[in-house]
């Protein structure tokens, strides 16, 4: 476990965060459609190669989460696999190992994340080919009668079983229970559901004897729903997010790396900055980013419409902003 603790610490080392570039093929296709680019293995390879060869990315990014397809591809024009390219840059390789959120039987509008079948074998292969950490995303939806307690428990238990298999195979698990922003709910409701979810997740992690020092938590911030009429300040968001985490996340966890979840790139950076400005010296864990859209959105547009170079400039700019936000100096 000693090595795992070191990797977990490195993932959230001061001033650094994680780039989530692990969109599944359907999600990546949706993103490409929005910029009118055809999505196939070769275009996805070109896009990801552009992102990952950004000069000095390693100054702000400790690790990159990949999807299975990318994990096995080479950087365009090089004979190296992407994990070995990242390793040479001093960047850790992560792999998304869940197989997606599927309808939860007999629970209308709720999802359960799958992927436990064959997970041990897949983790062994990924480890042998250079994976340092993994990711599993559970989604919790807020609506009139949901989430149900059963949905939270089932997802939390799956997260714990995944984390246990990761640690057995020397891979640091990113545990991601995402309370979705979609909906009309207010910020109080997000607070309540996220609190309940985190409480149950840590209960299940402890039950399965997960080493909390060898994992990273990837939660949502506490926010009103996308279609809510509320408009809280960044300070209120930071206060509620910090209180929720302080009450539910054990101090042994080395780092909390937020997902962006549909916030704009600017807001995601600003809110992380406010959190660190207010709590940098009061928090037991590192508070950083593991953003997908909030790091890539502008870079994807430039890649599709302008040039690789412009795209890389956008990515490094966003990475730097979030580096500053992760130390409260944006
Ligand atoms: P977003 O930052 O776009 O929400 O993606 C993060 C992620 O990895 C979701 O699983």
């Amino acid at each position: 476990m000693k090595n795992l603790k070191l990797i977990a610490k490195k993932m959230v080392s001061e001033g650094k965060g994680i780039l989530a570039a692990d969109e599944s093929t359907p999600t990546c296709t949706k993103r490409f459609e929005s910029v009118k680019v055809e999505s196939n293995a070769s275009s996805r390879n070109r896009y990801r190669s552009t992102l990952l060869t950004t000069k000095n990315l390693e100054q702000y990014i400790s690790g990159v989460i990949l999807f299975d397809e990318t994990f096995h591809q080479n950087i365009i024009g090089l004979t190296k696999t992407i994990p070995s390219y990242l390793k040479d840059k001093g960047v850790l390789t992560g792999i998304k190992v869940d197989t997606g959120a599927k309808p939860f039987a007999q629970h209308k509008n709720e999802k359960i994340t799958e992927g436990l079948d064959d997970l041990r074998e897949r983790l062994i292969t990924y480890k042998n080919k250079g994976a340092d950490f993994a990711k599993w995303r559970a989604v919790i939806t807020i609506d009139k009668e949901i989430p149900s307690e059963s949905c939270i428990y089932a997802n939390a238990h799956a997260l714990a079983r995944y984390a246990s298999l990761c640690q057995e195979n020397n891979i640091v698990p990113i545990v991601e229970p995402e309370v979705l922003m979609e909906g009309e709910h207010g910020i109080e409701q997000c607070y309540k559901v996220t609190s309940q979810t985190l409480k149950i997740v840590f209960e299940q992690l402890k039950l399965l004897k997960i080493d909390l020092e060898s994992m990273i938590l990837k939660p949502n911030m506490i926010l009103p729903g996308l279609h809510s009429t509320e408009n809280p300040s960044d300070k209120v968001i930071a206060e509620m997010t910090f209180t929720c985490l302080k009450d539910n996340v054990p101090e042994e966890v080395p780092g909390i790396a937020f997902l962006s979840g549909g916030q704009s790139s600017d807001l995601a950076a600003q809110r992380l900055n406010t959190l660190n400005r207010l709590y940098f010296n009061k928090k037991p864990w590192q508070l950083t980013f593991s953003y997908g859209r909030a790091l890539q959105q502008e870079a994807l547009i430039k890649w599709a419409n302008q040039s690789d170079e412009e795209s890389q400039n956008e990515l490094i700019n966003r990475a730097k902003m979030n580096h500053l936000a992760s130390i409260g100096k944006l």
Side-chain angles (χ1 to χ4, degrees), residues 20-23 31 65 96 135 137 176 178 218 258-262 290-295:
D22 61 322
E23 300 81 5
R31 305 263 191 273
I65 319 173
K96 171 188 171 73
K135 183 191 100 169
R137 171 177 178 254
E176 180 179 6
E178 174 174 7
K218 176 162 172 167
F258 293 99
L259 57 97
S260 59
S290 173
Y291 293 160
R293 283 162 287 180
L295 281 171

PDB file of all heavy atoms in Angstrom, residues 20-23 31 65 96 135 137 176 178 218 258-262 290-295, ligand 1:
ATOM      1  N   ALA A  20      -9.570  15.021 -17.098  1.00  0.00           N
ATOM      2  CA  ALA A  20     -10.457  13.908 -17.447  1.00  0.00           C
ATOM      3  C   ALA A  20     -10.666  13.927 -18.951  1.00  0.00           C
ATOM      4  O   ALA A  20     -11.369  14.793 -19.486  1.00  0.00           O
ATOM      5  CB  ALA A  20     -11.783  14.028 -16.706  1.00  0.00           C
ATOM      6  N   ALA A  21      -9.998  12.993 -19.637  1.00  0.00           N
ATOM      7  CA  ALA A  21     -10.130  12.895 -21.098  1.00  0.00           C
ATOM      8  C   ALA A  21     -10.642  11.495 -21.429  1.00  0.00           C
ATOM      9  O   ALA A  21     -10.221  10.881 -22.402  1.00  0.00           O
ATOM     10  CB  ALA A  21      -8.777  13.158 -21.765  1.00  0.00           C
ATOM     11  N   ASP A  22     -11.547  11.015 -20.575  1.00  0.00           N
ATOM     12  CA  ASP A  22     -11.990   9.617 -20.665  1.00  0.00           C
ATOM     13  C   ASP A  22     -13.422   9.501 -21.160  1.00  0.00           C
ATOM     14  O   ASP A  22     -14.118   8.537 -20.823  1.00  0.00           O
ATOM     15  CB  ASP A  22     -11.884   8.958 -19.291  1.00  0.00           C
ATOM     16  CG  ASP A  22     -12.772   9.641 -18.248  1.00  0.00           C
ATOM     17  OD1 ASP A  22     -12.872  10.881 -18.291  1.00  0.00           O
ATOM     18  OD2 ASP A  22     -13.360   8.941 -17.402  1.00  0.00           O
ATOM     19  N   GLU A  23     -13.854  10.472 -21.969  1.00  0.00           N
ATOM     20  CA  GLU A  23     -15.212  10.382 -22.507  1.00  0.00           C
ATOM     21  C   GLU A  23     -15.361   9.046 -23.236  1.00  0.00           C
ATOM     22  O   GLU A  23     -14.512   8.685 -24.058  1.00  0.00           O
ATOM     23  CB  GLU A  23     -15.478  11.533 -23.496  1.00  0.00           C
ATOM     24  CG  GLU A  23     -15.365  12.935 -22.919  1.00  0.00           C
ATOM     25  CD  GLU A  23     -13.917  13.437 -22.835  1.00  0.00           C
ATOM     26  OE1 GLU A  23     -12.998  12.735 -23.314  1.00  0.00           O
ATOM     27  OE2 GLU A  23     -13.720  14.538 -22.285  1.00  0.00           O
ATOM     28  N   ARG A  31     -19.794  15.184 -28.141  1.00  0.00           N
ATOM     29  CA  ARG A  31     -18.959  16.400 -28.089  1.00  0.00           C
ATOM     30  C   ARG A  31     -18.479  16.785 -29.499  1.00  0.00           C
ATOM     31  O   ARG A  31     -18.457  17.951 -29.873  1.00  0.00           O
ATOM     32  CB  ARG A  31     -17.739  16.177 -27.198  1.00  0.00           C
ATOM     33  CG  ARG A  31     -18.065  15.701 -25.794  1.00  0.00           C
ATOM     34  CD  ARG A  31     -18.094  16.830 -24.776  1.00  0.00           C
ATOM     35  NE  ARG A  31     -18.162  16.304 -23.437  1.00  0.00           N
ATOM     36  CZ  ARG A  31     -19.287  15.974 -22.785  1.00  0.00           C
ATOM     37  NH1 ARG A  31     -20.460  16.168 -23.345  1.00  0.00           N
ATOM     38  NH2 ARG A  31     -19.246  15.493 -21.547  1.00  0.00           N
ATOM     39  N   ILE A  65      -7.026  10.957 -17.135  1.00  0.00           N
ATOM     40  CA  ILE A  65      -7.890   9.769 -17.179  1.00  0.00           C
ATOM     41  C   ILE A  65      -8.218   9.460 -18.634  1.00  0.00           C
ATOM     42  O   ILE A  65      -8.640  10.351 -19.388  1.00  0.00           O
ATOM     43  CB  ILE A  65      -9.213   9.959 -16.399  1.00  0.00           C
ATOM     44  CG1 ILE A  65      -8.985  10.705 -15.078  1.00  0.00           C
ATOM     45  CG2 ILE A  65      -9.890   8.605 -16.157  1.00  0.00           C
ATOM     46  CD1 ILE A  65     -10.279  11.065 -14.342  1.00  0.00           C
ATOM     47  N   LYS A  96     -10.638   4.822 -17.090  1.00  0.00           N
ATOM     48  CA  LYS A  96     -12.051   4.685 -16.701  1.00  0.00           C
ATOM     49  C   LYS A  96     -12.394   3.202 -16.812  1.00  0.00           C
ATOM     50  O   LYS A  96     -12.242   2.601 -17.879  1.00  0.00           O
ATOM     51  CB  LYS A  96     -12.912   5.496 -17.673  1.00  0.00           C
ATOM     52  CG  LYS A  96     -14.407   5.289 -17.540  1.00  0.00           C
ATOM     53  CD  LYS A  96     -15.101   6.007 -18.716  1.00  0.00           C
ATOM     54  CE  LYS A  96     -16.572   5.694 -18.811  1.00  0.00           C
ATOM     55  NZ  LYS A  96     -17.373   6.335 -17.778  1.00  0.00           N
ATOM     56  N   LYS A 135     -10.878   5.138 -12.542  1.00  0.00           N
ATOM     57  CA  LYS A 135     -12.044   5.952 -12.208  1.00  0.00           C
ATOM     58  C   LYS A 135     -13.329   5.151 -12.412  1.00  0.00           C
ATOM     59  O   LYS A 135     -13.427   4.359 -13.353  1.00  0.00           O
ATOM     60  CB  LYS A 135     -12.105   7.194 -13.104  1.00  0.00           C
ATOM     61  CG  LYS A 135     -13.262   8.124 -12.749  1.00  0.00           C
ATOM     62  CD  LYS A 135     -13.487   9.209 -13.782  1.00  0.00           C
ATOM     63  CE  LYS A 135     -14.630   8.852 -14.699  1.00  0.00           C
ATOM     64  NZ  LYS A 135     -15.064   9.970 -15.558  1.00  0.00           N
ATOM     65  N   ARG A 137     -17.529   6.112 -12.111  1.00  0.00           N
ATOM     66  CA  ARG A 137     -18.489   7.206 -11.869  1.00  0.00           C
ATOM     67  C   ARG A 137     -19.876   6.648 -11.611  1.00  0.00           C
ATOM     68  O   ARG A 137     -20.412   5.901 -12.430  1.00  0.00           O
ATOM     69  CB  ARG A 137     -18.507   8.124 -13.095  1.00  0.00           C
ATOM     70  CG  ARG A 137     -19.596   9.188 -13.094  1.00  0.00           C
ATOM     71  CD  ARG A 137     -19.419  10.047 -14.333  1.00  0.00           C
ATOM     72  NE  ARG A 137     -20.432  11.065 -14.469  1.00  0.00           N
ATOM     73  CZ  ARG A 137     -21.437  11.006 -15.353  1.00  0.00           C
ATOM     74  NH1 ARG A 137     -21.553   9.960 -16.159  1.00  0.00           N
ATOM     75  NH2 ARG A 137     -22.306  11.990 -15.432  1.00  0.00           N
ATOM     76  N   GLU A 176     -16.017   8.289  -7.592  1.00  0.00           N
ATOM     77  CA  GLU A 176     -16.782   9.434  -8.106  1.00  0.00           C
ATOM     78  C   GLU A 176     -18.296   9.219  -7.960  1.00  0.00           C
ATOM     79  O   GLU A 176     -18.934   8.619  -8.821  1.00  0.00           O
ATOM     80  CB  GLU A 176     -16.442   9.687  -9.587  1.00  0.00           C
ATOM     81  CG  GLU A 176     -17.211  10.867 -10.174  1.00  0.00           C
ATOM     82  CD  GLU A 176     -16.880  11.167 -11.635  1.00  0.00           C
ATOM     83  OE1 GLU A 176     -16.131  10.402 -12.259  1.00  0.00           O
ATOM     84  OE2 GLU A 176     -17.378  12.181 -12.136  1.00  0.00           O
ATOM     85  N   GLU A 178     -21.357  11.148  -8.414  1.00  0.00           N
ATOM     86  CA  GLU A 178     -21.781  12.464  -8.934  1.00  0.00           C
ATOM     87  C   GLU A 178     -23.274  12.688  -8.730  1.00  0.00           C
ATOM     88  O   GLU A 178     -24.102  11.980  -9.302  1.00  0.00           O
ATOM     89  CB  GLU A 178     -21.452  12.577 -10.433  1.00  0.00           C
ATOM     90  CG  GLU A 178     -22.014  13.879 -11.035  1.00  0.00           C
ATOM     91  CD  GLU A 178     -21.617  14.146 -12.482  1.00  0.00           C
ATOM     92  OE1 GLU A 178     -20.997  13.273 -13.117  1.00  0.00           O
ATOM     93  OE2 GLU A 178     -21.950  15.252 -12.964  1.00  0.00           O
ATOM     94  N   LYS A 218     -13.865  12.093  -5.959  1.00  0.00           N
ATOM     95  CA  LYS A 218     -14.215  13.041  -7.024  1.00  0.00           C
ATOM     96  C   LYS A 218     -15.700  13.367  -6.917  1.00  0.00           C
ATOM     97  O   LYS A 218     -16.552  12.676  -7.477  1.00  0.00           O
ATOM     98  CB  LYS A 218     -13.880  12.418  -8.391  1.00  0.00           C
ATOM     99  CG  LYS A 218     -14.293  13.263  -9.582  1.00  0.00           C
ATOM    100  CD  LYS A 218     -13.575  12.837 -10.849  1.00  0.00           C
ATOM    101  CE  LYS A 218     -14.119  13.545 -12.054  1.00  0.00           C
ATOM    102  NZ  LYS A 218     -13.284  13.413 -13.245  1.00  0.00           N
ATOM    103  N   PHE A 258     -12.594  17.799  -7.777  1.00  0.00           N
ATOM    104  CA  PHE A 258     -13.970  17.989  -8.233  1.00  0.00           C
ATOM    105  C   PHE A 258     -14.143  17.677  -9.721  1.00  0.00           C
ATOM    106  O   PHE A 258     -13.236  17.899 -10.529  1.00  0.00           O
ATOM    107  CB  PHE A 258     -14.402  19.444  -8.020  1.00  0.00           C
ATOM    108  CG  PHE A 258     -14.510  19.830  -6.576  1.00  0.00           C
ATOM    109  CD1 PHE A 258     -13.485  20.527  -5.948  1.00  0.00           C
ATOM    110  CD2 PHE A 258     -15.631  19.479  -5.833  1.00  0.00           C
ATOM    111  CE1 PHE A 258     -13.575  20.881  -4.607  1.00  0.00           C
ATOM    112  CE2 PHE A 258     -15.729  19.824  -4.497  1.00  0.00           C
ATOM    113  CZ  PHE A 258     -14.693  20.518  -3.881  1.00  0.00           C
ATOM    114  N   LEU A 259     -15.347  17.241 -10.059  1.00  0.00           N
ATOM    115  CA  LEU A 259     -15.770  17.173 -11.460  1.00  0.00           C
ATOM    116  C   LEU A 259     -16.378  18.531 -11.792  1.00  0.00           C
ATOM    117  O   LEU A 259     -16.764  19.286 -10.888  1.00  0.00           O
ATOM    118  CB  LEU A 259     -16.790  16.053 -11.637  1.00  0.00           C
ATOM    119  CG  LEU A 259     -18.064  16.116 -10.786  1.00  0.00           C
ATOM    120  CD1 LEU A 259     -19.219  16.728 -11.524  1.00  0.00           C
ATOM    121  CD2 LEU A 259     -18.422  14.748 -10.267  1.00  0.00           C
ATOM    122  N   SER A 260     -16.485  18.867 -13.073  1.00  0.00           N
ATOM    123  CA  SER A 260     -17.081  20.188 -13.382  1.00  0.00           C
ATOM    124  C   SER A 260     -18.583  20.072 -13.628  1.00  0.00           C
ATOM    125  O   SER A 260     -19.313  21.039 -13.377  1.00  0.00           O
ATOM    126  CB  SER A 260     -16.362  20.876 -14.543  1.00  0.00           C
ATOM    127  OG  SER A 260     -16.390  20.121 -15.727  1.00  0.00           O
ATOM    128  N   GLY A 261     -19.053  18.948 -14.117  1.00  0.00           N
ATOM    129  CA  GLY A 261     -20.478  18.627 -14.123  1.00  0.00           C
ATOM    130  C   GLY A 261     -21.409  19.488 -14.958  1.00  0.00           C
ATOM    131  O   GLY A 261     -22.615  19.453 -14.747  1.00  0.00           O
ATOM    132  N   GLY A 262     -20.856  20.301 -15.861  1.00  0.00           N
ATOM    133  CA  GLY A 262     -21.737  21.131 -16.685  1.00  0.00           C
ATOM    134  C   GLY A 262     -21.668  22.613 -16.320  1.00  0.00           C
ATOM    135  O   GLY A 262     -22.366  23.436 -16.911  1.00  0.00           O
ATOM    136  N   SER A 290     -10.601  17.750 -11.267  1.00  0.00           N
ATOM    137  CA  SER A 290     -10.468  16.618 -12.194  1.00  0.00           C
ATOM    138  C   SER A 290     -11.519  16.868 -13.269  1.00  0.00           C
ATOM    139  O   SER A 290     -12.502  16.160 -13.376  1.00  0.00           O
ATOM    140  CB  SER A 290     -10.720  15.298 -11.458  1.00  0.00           C
ATOM    141  OG  SER A 290     -10.750  14.237 -12.385  1.00  0.00           O
ATOM    142  N   TYR A 291     -11.294  17.957 -14.003  1.00  0.00           N
ATOM    143  CA  TYR A 291     -12.319  18.423 -14.932  1.00  0.00           C
ATOM    144  C   TYR A 291     -12.190  17.787 -16.317  1.00  0.00           C
ATOM    145  O   TYR A 291     -11.093  17.539 -16.804  1.00  0.00           O
ATOM    146  CB  TYR A 291     -12.221  19.945 -15.103  1.00  0.00           C
ATOM    147  CG  TYR A 291     -12.560  20.771 -13.875  1.00  0.00           C
ATOM    148  CD1 TYR A 291     -12.109  22.093 -13.769  1.00  0.00           C
ATOM    149  CD2 TYR A 291     -13.329  20.247 -12.829  1.00  0.00           C
ATOM    150  CE1 TYR A 291     -12.420  22.875 -12.665  1.00  0.00           C
ATOM    151  CE2 TYR A 291     -13.638  21.027 -11.720  1.00  0.00           C
ATOM    152  CZ  TYR A 291     -13.174  22.337 -11.642  1.00  0.00           C
ATOM    153  OH  TYR A 291     -13.477  23.109 -10.549  1.00  0.00           O
ATOM    154  N   GLY A 292     -13.359  17.573 -16.926  1.00  0.00           N
ATOM    155  CA  GLY A 292     -13.422  17.160 -18.321  1.00  0.00           C
ATOM    156  C   GLY A 292     -13.775  18.384 -19.147  1.00  0.00           C
ATOM    157  O   GLY A 292     -12.907  19.074 -19.694  1.00  0.00           O
ATOM    158  N   ARG A 293     -15.090  18.685 -19.153  1.00  0.00           N
ATOM    159  CA  ARG A 293     -15.555  19.812 -19.972  1.00  0.00           C
ATOM    160  C   ARG A 293     -14.901  21.141 -19.602  1.00  0.00           C
ATOM    161  O   ARG A 293     -14.564  21.934 -20.476  1.00  0.00           O
ATOM    162  CB  ARG A 293     -17.082  19.928 -19.874  1.00  0.00           C
ATOM    163  CG  ARG A 293     -17.799  18.900 -20.693  1.00  0.00           C
ATOM    164  CD  ARG A 293     -19.231  18.735 -20.258  1.00  0.00           C
ATOM    165  NE  ARG A 293     -19.346  18.032 -18.985  1.00  0.00           N
ATOM    166  CZ  ARG A 293     -20.503  17.750 -18.378  1.00  0.00           C
ATOM    167  NH1 ARG A 293     -21.637  18.141 -18.927  1.00  0.00           N
ATOM    168  NH2 ARG A 293     -20.535  17.093 -17.240  1.00  0.00           N
ATOM    169  N   ALA A 294     -14.719  21.418 -18.317  1.00  0.00           N
ATOM    170  CA  ALA A 294     -14.196  22.729 -17.914  1.00  0.00           C
ATOM    171  C   ALA A 294     -12.712  22.907 -18.260  1.00  0.00           C
ATOM    172  O   ALA A 294     -12.177  24.008 -18.145  1.00  0.00           O
ATOM    173  CB  ALA A 294     -14.438  22.958 -16.423  1.00  0.00           C
ATOM    174  N   LEU A 295     -12.046  21.845 -18.704  1.00  0.00           N
ATOM    175  CA  LEU A 295     -10.683  22.013 -19.215  1.00  0.00           C
ATOM    176  C   LEU A 295     -10.654  21.959 -20.744  1.00  0.00           C
ATOM    177  O   LEU A 295      -9.804  22.575 -21.385  1.00  0.00           O
ATOM    178  CB  LEU A 295      -9.751  20.920 -18.677  1.00  0.00           C
ATOM    179  CG  LEU A 295      -9.219  21.072 -17.249  1.00  0.00           C
ATOM    180  CD1 LEU A 295      -8.507  19.793 -16.810  1.00  0.00           C
ATOM    181  CD2 LEU A 295      -8.259  22.260 -17.121  1.00  0.00           C
TER     182      LEU A 295
HETATM  183  P1  LIG B   1     -16.828  16.913 -16.261  1.00  0.00           P
HETATM  184  O1  LIG B   1     -15.778  17.735 -15.588  1.00  0.00           O
HETATM  185  O2  LIG B   1     -17.070  17.288 -17.700  1.00  0.00           O
HETATM  186  O3  LIG B   1     -18.085  16.809 -15.448  1.00  0.00           O
HETATM  187  O4  LIG B   1     -16.254  15.434 -16.389  1.00  0.00           O
HETATM  188  C1  LIG B   1     -15.580  14.900 -15.327  1.00  0.00           C
HETATM  189  C2  LIG B   1     -15.683  13.442 -15.339  1.00  0.00           C
HETATM  190  O5  LIG B   1     -14.688  12.755 -15.367  1.00  0.00           O
HETATM  191  C3  LIG B   1     -17.013  12.820 -15.302  1.00  0.00           C
HETATM  192  O6  LIG B   1     -16.894  11.455 -15.011  1.00  0.00           O
END
